[in-house]
Amino acid sequence: MFGMARNSGKLSKFLTGCFFLYSGLFVYAQQDSLAHQKLQPVEIVGKENQSVVSPIPVQTLSRTQLNELPAIQLSDALKFLSGLVIKDYGGVGGLKTVSVRGMGAQHTGVAYDGIIVSDCQSGQIDLGKFSLENVQSISLSNGQGSDIFIPAKLFASASLINVVTNEPVFKDSKPINIKFDFISGSFGLVNPYLLIENRIKKKKKEEDAFLAWSLNMEYLRSKGNYPYTLFYGGDQDSTSREIRQNSDIQSLSAEVNFLAKFGKKAKLTAKFFCYFSDRGLPGATILYNLESSQRLSNQNLFAQIHYKHYFTRKIAYQVNAKFNYDFTKYIDPDYLNKERFLDNRYLQREYYISNAVLYTPFKKWSISLANDLFYNDMDANLLSFSEPSRFSCLTVLATIFNSTYFDANASLLYSLILNRVKIGKAGKDENHLSPSIGFSIKPFYKSPFRIRFFYKNIFRMPTFNDLYYRDIGNVKLNPERTNQLDAGITFDHHWLQRKISFLGTADFYYNFVKDKIVAIPSKNLFVWSMLNYGEVEILGVDVTCNFSYQIIKQCGLLISGSYSFQRAWDMTDEQSKTYRHQIPYTPKHSGSASVSVVTDWFTVSYSILLSGKRYTLGQNTLQNQLKGYTDQSISIGRDFKFKKVILGLRLEMLNLADTQYEVVRNFPMQGRSFRINGRFLF
């Protein structure tokens, strides 16, 4: 169970790659955390970056950098991180899911303020539902992070995206903060946002003790009627100019937060979140089939609470609880059934509680024990629907050691999953032990280099769709099992009293996914089955960098970049036509870069996304190939201060070359567009 799933030949490939990594990557400029430097108007401030000493790769986007990126949704910002592929169906309202290091969306956990966002139906989180306006930072960690005082569920994914929202900060005796943003742009984009923060009570003698609440609301509307070029039969000379149809969206989200600090030892937060959306689902742009009338509506509400208490320097305790309600309605008025109409409705619920204890016997060594219990159920208006439910118990024992020259962490996760249904046969119950270990070494005291390594074994359960979806589901499915290996280096150095800073990391990784769940035809092309048929081997390199230069007191320069190479091969069957072919929608080469110039008068930013060719199906033929693309954006902004009021204005040009490209075949992305962002802070 704990061993690698492939023979020694695979291990030799990994070790060989490590040798070339260490011998050749010292010439690369790379980074793991884009948040290494903070630009406070024009002052670049350096501080110790925990992701540099971490045994696992961690990439972070701070609030400062999010302000400079052409992003209004979580999915927009994540595109600038290495090793990550966003599957985007186009436009603001298009569905957006993420795959990290070629392992699929179901292997990537998404945490919102430290508690996992779940979808037991499909296992894929639509990243488009999360706004960036109230986000303080976004981090992506591969393997197991350095923080062990967390719920057990955060240990249960191959990769983790952690979204941290803003915590109220009240300057001087000011009891209230107000922020209002308004974004408007091409193709009917309207996006107002309101934030109110209020400090209810503060102890005069204790700065860290106070009670506060906040409310933020956001409305998003886009017609999505952008133009694109339709090619007839792939002939570049036979084209027509069309308008994207049924790509509109309207959404409303609101979030209420309560924060209570009881000195430096205890903290309580509570959150209530609601999201409502109605969108069109545009069809594939196939000749004579350009119109679509399918609609998707979603209602998502959750309430969560977090309490943390440090009883002594050695002992701490935290509890987390959450209730999640998710309702989805899918309508297809042109469906070819007897009624000539399809109205499917799905309801998911989750009940979740987590307890964790941290023990620190020595200053540099800590041990944690966490237990999570959660219950998921699902209902639908489908005939003879199984009405599945799932009870899960996760327990993790973890330890971490930190010193000047050596950092290490290890964990052992035990998972128990029980499946039940009201109608039919339930999926198999599962239990699994998942070990993880990592370390980083600083070879020399004054050296800016560190070397790191981690191994993690993890699995993902079949979703309710995999197990029970009509005739396709298969209750005999096994979990997908994944082994991850990573070896890398980090470099962090400053010159001229921190006026010049450079941070970089490079990681060589090997992932192997066994019992991959795939859909294959059974009786005919219209009746498919879910089977544990697949095996995927992934070899890759992630390289990122960050450079900052305080040119003069009134002007600073920030440059960041990332590059990712992924060789993700289907290793299922040597006799198959897809054997050793790149898995669908995974480019071998991808990257991004951004440049920002910040002055006392204005801020100018340029960014570019690059992706190599991809394949839409498992067989890597010319017919299945999607061309690579670049997407460039530029922005300019300025803040105006009037006593206690700040007014900001930002102009953006997206896809400035008006490049037509597709992330998913026959779903063209938006061409050149414009956005204007007005901001008011009081």
Side-chain angles (χ1 to χ4, degrees), residues 133-369:
E133 287 297 335
N134 192 41
V135 172
Q136 180 62 34
S137 67
I138 303 169
S139 64
L140 169 65
S141 58
N142 301 103
Q144 185 50 52
S146 296
D147 185 5
I148 63 170
F149 192 31
I150 55 177
K153 209 171 181 182
L154 272 64
F155 288 80
S157 300
S159 301
L160 180 68
I161 297 169
N162 192 25
V163 181
V164 179
T165 59
N166 287 312
E167 187 173 293
V169 176
F170 301 94
K171 296 182 178 180
D172 304 323
S173 59
K174 185 180 178 183
I176 191 169
N177 297 321
I178 298 175
K179 177 183 177 182
F180 178 74
D181 279 19
F182 187 86
I183 300 175
S184 182
S186 304
F187 316 118
L189 175 64
V190 176
N191 182 208
Y193 170 83
L194 174 66
L195 169 66
I196 301 174
E197 298 174 334
N198 178 226
R199 181 174 57 200
I200 302 173
K201 187 177 181 181
K202 174 187 174 183
K203 290 185 178 180
K204 294 182 179 180
K205 296 182 179 180
E206 197 166 5
E207 290 293 326
D208 293 318
F210 68 89
L211 178 66
W213 65 271
S214 67
L215 166 68
N216 63 80
M217 301 179 65
E218 181 178 51
Y219 173 75
L220 175 66
R221 187 196 73 189
S222 175
K223 294 180 180 178
N225 55 343
Y226 53 89
Y228 67 95
T229 300
L230 177 65
F231 298 92
Y232 297 91
D235 187 350
Q236 299 294 319
D237 296 326
S238 300
T239 64
S240 65
R241 198 65 171 164
E242 306 289 345
I243 300 295
R244 200 69 168 116
Q245 303 292 328
N246 199 40
S247 188
D248 63 296
I249 183 174
Q250 286 194 82
S251 70
L252 175 67
S253 63
E255 185 177 310
V256 180
N257 293 278
F258 293 92
L259 169 65
K261 283 189 175 182
F262 310 99
K264 296 181 179 180
K265 292 185 177 182
K267 176 181 175 182
L268 173 70
T269 60
K271 180 188 299 287
F272 177 76
F273 174 89
C274 61
Y275 173 82
F276 306 94
S277 70
D278 179 74
R279 74 185 78 196
L281 297 179
T285 55
I286 302 172
L287 188 59
Y288 307 122
N289 187 34
L290 302 180
E291 295 186 0
S292 172
S293 53
Q294 300 171 1
R295 307 292 300 181
L296 183 69
S297 300
N298 180 240
Q299 301 173 17
N300 181 216
L301 301 94
F302 67 77
Q304 65 186 45
I305 188 169
H306 165 81
Y307 176 73
K308 183 184 293 186
H309 193 122
Y310 287 87
F311 295 99
T312 67
R313 186 190 66 81
K314 293 185 176 182
I315 300 176
Y317 167 77
Q318 70 167 280
V319 60
N320 297 277
K322 180 178 181 179
F323 170 73
N324 182 67
Y325 170 95
D326 192 286
F327 175 76
T328 302
K329 181 170 71 172
Y330 168 75
I331 294 177
D332 186 354
D334 300 321
Y335 191 74
L336 299 178
N337 59 359
K338 183 178 179 180
E339 293 79 16
R340 297 285 177 176
F341 186 83
L342 191 66
D343 183 356
N344 288 348
R345 305 183 183 200
Y346 304 91
L347 174 62
Q348 300 180 54
R349 288 175 293 257
E350 180 180 75
Y351 307 86
Y352 170 77
I353 187 166
S354 169
N355 292 275
V357 178
L358 179 70
Y359 176 56
T360 308
F362 306 104
K363 185 176 181 181
K364 297 181 179 180
W365 179 40
S366 299
I367 305 170
S368 72
L369 178 65

Side-chain angles (χ1 to χ4, degrees), residues 472 519-529:
I472 297 177
I520 65 171
S522 56
K523 298 177 182 178
N524 53 55
L525 291 177
F526 298 96
V527 181
W528 292 55
S529 295

Side-chain angles (χ1 to χ4, degrees), residues 506-606:
D507 286 272
F508 179 91
Y509 61 87
Y510 169 83
N511 300 329
F512 179 74
V513 183
K514 186 180 180 181
D515 285 336
K516 188 168 181 63
I517 299 171
V518 295
I520 65 171
S522 56
K523 298 177 182 178
N524 53 55
L525 291 177
F526 298 96
V527 181
W528 292 55
S529 295
M530 304 302 296
L531 296 176
N532 287 118
Y533 187 74
E535 293 184 358
V536 176
E537 180 185 83
I538 305 154
L539 286 169
V541 177
D542 287 342
V543 179
T544 56
C545 67
N546 189 31
F547 172 82
S548 64
Y549 178 32
Q550 188 75 53
I551 303 172
I552 57 175
K553 185 178 180 180
Q554 296 82 12
C555 181
L557 172 69
L558 288 177
I559 302 174
S560 64
S562 69
Y563 167 76
S564 180
F565 168 81
Q566 286 187 50
R567 195 211 69 184
W569 280 357
D570 178 0
M571 304 296 291
T572 303
D573 183 2
E574 293 185 10
Q575 306 302 319
S576 171
K577 293 182 179 179
T578 64
Y579 185 68
R580 289 183 175 267
H581 283 216
Q582 190 83 349
I583 62 175
Y585 292 108
T586 304
K588 283 188 177 180
H589 305 277
S590 61
S592 66
S594 65
V595 180
S596 297
V597 178
V598 182
T599 72
D600 275 344
W601 310 280
F602 58 84
T603 299
V604 178
S605 299
Y606 167 83

Side-chain angles (χ1 to χ4, degrees), residues 664-676:
V664 179
R665 168 154 283 178
N666 297 321
F667 286 83
M669 297 293 290
Q670 194 167 280
R672 184 186 297 116
S673 62
F674 301 88
R675 286 203 301 246
I676 181 170

